Amino acid sequence: MKKRNKKNIILENIKLLNAGAKGVAIGRTEEGKTVMVTGAIPGDIVNVKVKKAKSKYYEGEAIDLLEKSPHRVDPKCIHFGVCGGCKWQNMSYEKQLDFKQEEVYNNIKRIGGIDNFETVPILGSQEQYYYRNKMEFSFSNARWLTQYEISSEENFGNRDALGFHIPGMWSKILDLKECFLQEEPSNTIRLAVKEYAVKNGLDFFDVKNHEGFLRTLMMRQNSNGEWMVLFQLFREEKENREKLFQFLLETFPQIKTLVYAINPKANDSIYDLDINVYFGEGYLMEEMDGLKFKIGPKSFFQTNYKQALELYRKTLEFADLKGDEVVYDLYTGTGTIAQYVARKAKQVIGIESVQEAIDAAIEHAQLNGLTNTTFYCGDMKDIFNDEFLANHPKADVLITDPPRDGMHQKVVEQILKLSPEKVVYVSCNSATQARDLALMKDHYDVVKILPVDMFPQTHHVENIALLIKK
């Protein structure tokens, strides 16, 4: 280590040994102090510029790659390292899976304090690229300039951009030339929209001054190759809007429905906006193992369709239903898992806090001819109480799929009161999952876990845990 001054510490020749939380690589100084590094992968030897110095660890970024990791591969995307979306694109997929499995196992063991469980080998994604069925992009009249562009002193006249927010910089938009997350014609549509808008003088949104015309673009597809396009417009310009929309519909016959919203708010959230249907029905239909789902502009639906299907199949496999069980599905969302297991259960009771999601769950149950599902709306810690348990049949199996923060302690306590024979815990954050499992381990054995990779090229990983009552 050498110090240039108190605010600029450089750690030299740091060998990165493992992957840590949020995709950082972990190394140690000669004195044994932990170093958490961004911009590198396990196996690299790097010099590190320290961003944060604590008594027990450093946080920093790699500034010099001295020796490459054997797990390194060439990233596919020209925007890698700037856009921030695929932080592990420079690591072999096999090694990505190894690190994800190890993270889940370590969290359950160390945070949960749980031993003697089976770890089923991680379920890798069928597709490592082009796996997302939904992408959102932002318009800006002041695109992000690289340090090289700034140093060149070139005069950049038109700075219109359509792409992603630079991580940690809400007002900076990277102008995307390519993206490998959503299959074609995603890239082609996005580039065509930008070219048309520039050619026809349409105003790109000014984030700082809060003005302009084109604000955001969202594209969604189903497994049949049908597409939904959603525009957020800051203001109405009827003639410009209709000409743009007609251009898209004439150029891309894959577009099944085209919708838009006028959004003069301070944020880009669409959930409190009115959606206007310009073309088509305003939604797409999706099918999963014979179940039909109506996907609208505001619908939550797993973005990796093929892997979500595998996740649901494994959840059903873990539940091992015989047909006479009462199943509770906590954090049911639009009821996808609930309906997936309903065909194998006597009765399914789903609970969710978002009314629009519950409305969709009820509609989907009717669409699929399911008469053994019941859905309730309310904050989980409030609605899932003693009165609820007293007024509903006892669960034989409980499935829970909470958000990243995991379950509220009151919810865990109610599960223990309900005391189902079996709990299947689906999680997108194995650290908070492990915390919850620790609260249940005196009453339940964690029999096995199955990590599931929903998002290749990133550090994110899902996990399914099977708990059996002692």
Side-chain angles (χ1 to χ4, degrees), residues 231-256:
F231 282 90
Q232 281 193 54
L233 308 173
F234 178 68
R235 61 176 181 246
E236 172 67 292
E237 295 182 10
K238 187 172 186 291
E239 183 178 355
N240 284 333
R241 171 176 59 78
E242 291 184 346
K243 286 182 178 179
L244 170 61
F245 291 178
Q246 282 304 122
F247 161 75
L248 281 178
L249 293 174
E250 291 167 6
T251 309
F252 300 100
Q254 302 96 326
I255 299 176
K256 180 80 171 178

Side-chain angles (χ1 to χ4, degrees), residues 11 66 120 126 226 276 334 338 345 367 455 460:
L11 304 176
L66 306 178
V120 182
Q126 296 179 44
E226 298 171 331
N276 304 288
T334 57
L367 185 65
F455 302 105
H460 298 290

Side-chain angles (χ1 to χ4, degrees), residues 177-404:
K177 306 300 182 187
E178 62 183 20
C179 181
F180 292 88
L181 288 174
Q182 190 175 33
E183 68 183 37
E184 284 293 347
S186 176
N187 278 309
T188 308
I189 291 175
R190 187 189 68 255
L191 294 172
V193 167
K194 187 196 172 189
E195 182 181 9
Y196 177 95
V198 171
K199 181 179 179 181
N200 290 275
L202 305 184
D203 290 337
F204 285 50
F205 192 55
D206 187 323
V207 178
K208 290 186 175 180
N209 296 314
H210 206 65
E211 60 186 20
F213 174 50
L214 299 170
R215 186 162 182 167
T216 71
L217 169 67
M218 185 268 277
M219 288 184 281
R220 199 164 207 161
Q221 74 200 91
N222 64 14
S223 56
N224 291 327
E226 298 171 331
W227 288 72
M228 170 192 295
V229 174
L230 164 68
F231 282 90
Q232 281 193 54
L233 308 173
F234 178 68
R235 61 176 181 246
E236 172 67 292
E237 295 182 10
K238 187 172 186 291
E239 183 178 355
N240 284 333
R241 171 176 59 78
E242 291 184 346
K243 286 182 178 179
L244 170 61
F245 291 178
Q246 282 304 122
F247 161 75
L248 281 178
L249 293 174
E250 291 167 6
T251 309
F252 300 100
Q254 302 96 326
I255 299 176
K256 180 80 171 178
T257 187
L258 199 160
V259 297
Y260 69 99
I262 307 298
N263 180 9
K265 299 182 304 163
N267 62 66
D268 291 339
S269 172
I270 69 168
Y271 294 99
D272 56 349
L273 298 177
D274 293 328
I275 304 296
N276 304 288
V277 179
Y278 180 80
F279 172 77
E281 297 177 306
Y283 60 86
L284 299 175
M285 294 302 300
E286 188 57 275
E287 185 173 330
M288 302 184 81
D289 280 349
L291 290 170
K292 295 178 181 178
F293 297 94
K294 183 178 174 181
I295 313 299
K298 300 180 183 181
S299 297
F300 172 79
F301 197 75
Q302 288 282 5
T303 52
N304 186 340
Y305 165 84
K306 291 180 181 179
Q307 195 69 342
L309 188 54
E310 295 301 323
L311 180 75
Y312 299 151
R313 287 170 177 166
K314 290 299 181 181
T315 300
L316 181 59
E317 181 183 312
F318 273 37
D320 191 26
L321 301 176
K322 308 303 181 187
D324 59 351
E325 297 94 344
V326 174
V327 180
Y328 281 26
D329 182 29
L330 307 189
Y331 310 92
T332 191
T334 57
T336 314
I337 290 178
Q339 292 174 70
Y340 205 86
V341 303
R343 295 178 294 184
K344 298 285 188 179
K346 177 183 177 182
Q347 183 181 0
V348 179
I349 296 171
I351 308 174
E352 167 61 44
S353 63
V354 180
Q355 186 61 56
E356 290 84 353
I358 288 295
D359 293 342
I362 294 170
E363 182 180 11
H364 291 153
Q366 294 171 345
L367 185 65
N368 291 305
L370 298 171
T371 58
N372 62 337
T373 57
T374 311
F375 296 99
Y376 297 91
C377 184
D379 188 294
M380 191 66 62
K381 72 180 189 306
D382 298 327
I383 191 173
F384 187 54
N385 54 24
D386 291 345
E387 182 181 357
F388 188 93
L389 299 187
N391 292 326
H392 293 85
K394 183 181 185 317
D396 301 295
V397 177
L398 182 139
I399 299 171
T400 182
D401 185 5
R404 292 194 61 80

Side-chain angles (χ1 to χ4, degrees), residues 1 11-18 25-37 44-46 48 55-58 110:
M1 180 184 79
L11 304 176
E12 298 182 317
N13 293 294
I14 300 297
K15 182 171 177 59
L16 303 176
L17 306 170
N18 211 332
I26 305 294
R28 294 193 184 279
T29 64
E30 291 180 357
E31 299 78 23
K33 196 169 179 178
T34 298
V35 186
M36 295 180 282
V37 183
D44 286 341
I45 298 177
V46 295
V48 179
S55 59
K56 294 184 178 179
Y57 65 90
Y58 292 109
R110 294 174 185 172

